[in-house]
Amino acid sequence: MRIAIYPGTFDPVTNGHYDLVKRAASMFDHLVIGVAESPSKNTLFSLEERVALLRETCSELNNVSVDGFSGLLVDFATEKKATILVRGLRTTMDFEYEFGLTTMYRRLKPELESLFLTPAEEYAFLSSTLVREVAIHGGEVEQFVPKCVHRAITKKLAAK
């Protein structure tokens, strides 16, 4: 059974993330979405909220599961028995950053291969940071995120 892991902070999950999830899910027997706790980041949503939003977003994908994690990604991959690491690349800056990470992962867990996917053209500009910033400043982000995520962003920002 080929198990892949798609890690990230997903704060919030975007349509670009979901596009990569669907594409990666079609390539493997099982895809685990690993939602990183990322305590150093000032996230809009808690780990539990991000996991719940991804589970709702991916509910129709039978071979996809979503779990939160803290600590080293290679340890989480080992726990989930994943042999492939899926990462999205939008820009050359993403490539340079991911190349460094991949080299470290290879040193820590040589059997964990990395697969890089580029986004569909309509999502190439999209990032969680950009969506979050636009939403925080009152901009409309409905076209960039799944419906459940849009509802959650609207509710979260109205409470602040």
Side-chain angles (χ1 to χ4, degrees):
M1 185 169 184
R2 304 270 310 179
I3 301 172
I5 189 163
Y6 177 31
T9 306
F10 304 104
D11 186 50
V13 61
T14 68
N15 290 336
H17 290 129
Y18 186 56
D19 174 61
L20 290 183
V21 167
K22 289 186 296 187
R23 290 167 47 212
S26 74
M27 296 178 204
F28 301 101
D29 298 313
H30 188 77
L31 177 68
V32 177
I33 302 173
V35 183
E37 186 174 32
S38 300
S40 62
K41 292 186 177 181
N42 186 21
T43 58
L44 178 63
F45 294 103
S46 70
L47 176 61
E48 294 76 19
E49 290 170 321
R50 290 179 279 135
V51 167
L53 287 170
L54 271 157
R55 284 181 177 157
E56 185 174 350
T57 297
C58 300
S59 62
E60 76 284 353
L61 300 173
N62 296 329
N63 67 329
V64 174
S65 62
V66 181
D67 289 299
F69 76 97
S70 61
L72 290 176
L73 173 59
V74 293
D75 293 337
F76 183 66
T78 300
E79 174 189 326
K80 297 298 177 179
K81 298 180 174 52
T83 57
I84 306 287
L85 176 63
V86 175
R87 298 297 292 161
L89 295 177
R90 292 174 311 219
T91 66
T92 56
M93 287 175 46
D94 285 350
F95 175 79
E96 289 179 19
Y97 177 73
E98 292 295 337
F99 186 78
L101 285 178
T102 299
T103 303
M104 178 58 79
Y105 297 147
R106 192 171 289 135
R107 291 287 178 104
L108 296 173
K109 186 173 173 66
E111 63 276 15
L112 184 63
E113 286 292 342
S114 294
L115 174 69
F116 299 105
L117 296 176
T118 57
E121 187 176 300
E122 65 263 34
Y123 305 124
F125 71 95
L126 198 52
S127 73
S128 292
T129 302
L130 191 56
V131 168
R132 203 171 47 249
E133 287 298 313
V134 169
I136 287 169
H137 290 95
E140 183 50 60
V141 296
E142 185 173 16
Q143 64 183 315
F144 307 125
V145 296
K147 288 183 191 314
C148 65
V149 175
H150 182 255
R151 286 190 302 271
I153 290 171
T154 302
K155 183 177 178 182
K156 176 75 77 172
L157 294 179
K160 286 190 174 199

